[in-house]
Amino acid sequence: MLFRSIVSLKTNTAYRSLMPPPPHLERFAFGFSENIADSLWIRAIQDFDYCEQSISKGICKNNSWLFQMLDSTTSLSPNFRIPYAAGGLALSVIVGDIEGASKLFEKGVAAFPNDWPILYRAAYHSLYEMKNKKRAAELLIQAGKNGAPPWVFTLAGRLYSDE
């Protein structure tokens, strides 16, 4: 019986409060930026679905805890690819932090302009979450030029014609 009550306390989000990293953490890294970024990433993936303030079902408050963790991770280690690739989708689909996902995807596109999977995922986010067909088409063309399947050009053309 005691074990059940402990488990229910741990899984109940009302009793759980996670602290985001302090702002401008990169100024206090003292040469350990990569190590701190790795630690933040490992901590973030443990609670990829955490939402500290839910606006409605499946929608989290903008600039959520997960966004702050991923933003700090990518600020400390701008060439760390996985937080851009997986984190943007987690923010968009799992947590529902649309604004945070947009910021992270734009940061990822700037850091990896030739990485077609990141470009394609950013295009998905622009199209379905932001309803910005023009930006989605631009990202799809950029992805197509960098190795994405050839049908992305057709999709981009269709988005341009719809726009």
Side-chain angles (χ1 to χ4, degrees):
M1 189 64 172
L2 177 64
F3 179 74
R4 285 186 185 167
S5 64
I6 292 171
V7 171
S8 66
L9 283 176
K10 285 186 177 182
T11 58
N12 189 349
T13 56
Y15 295 105
R16 186 172 67 162
S17 180
L18 301 178
M19 218 169 165
H24 309 293
L25 181 61
E26 63 272 7
R27 295 182 182 163
F28 302 104
F30 304 113
F32 294 98
S33 296
E34 299 291 329
N35 300 27
I36 296 171
D38 288 343
S39 297
L40 289 175
W41 171 247
I42 290 170
R43 180 62 193 103
I45 60 175
Q46 293 173 9
D47 285 302
F48 245 29
D49 62 342
Y50 177 71
C51 178
E52 71 276 5
Q53 187 176 358
S54 183
I55 295 172
S56 65
K57 185 174 169 123
I59 305 291
C60 195
K61 181 188 83 161
N62 288 332
N63 299 319
S64 62
W65 173 83
L66 181 59
F67 168 73
Q68 292 176 47
M69 292 292 285
L70 296 171
D71 188 47
S72 292
T73 300
T74 56
S75 292
L76 287 165
S77 180
N79 295 324
F80 191 8
R81 181 187 175 280
I82 283 294
Y84 297 116
L89 284 178
L91 284 167
S92 179
V93 177
I94 298 173
V95 177
D97 181 358
I98 306 304
E99 183 181 319
S102 297
K103 290 177 184 177
L104 192 67
F105 273 127
E106 290 304 320
K107 197 174 180 182
V109 166
F112 294 96
N114 299 323
D115 190 332
W116 79 262
I118 291 176
L119 293 166
Y120 181 77
R121 291 171 186 153
Y124 160 82
H125 177 75
S126 293
L127 179 62
Y128 290 105
E129 303 294 346
M130 301 300 292
K131 310 291 188 237
N132 187 346
K133 292 181 181 180
K134 183 179 180 205
R135 179 67 178 145
E138 292 168 357
L139 290 167
L140 285 171
I141 288 173
Q142 191 175 349
K145 290 178 180 176
N146 289 294
W151 55 263
V152 297
F153 292 111
T154 307
L155 179 57
R158 175 63 188 220
L159 290 174
Y160 273 131
S161 69
D162 286 350
E163 190 63 23

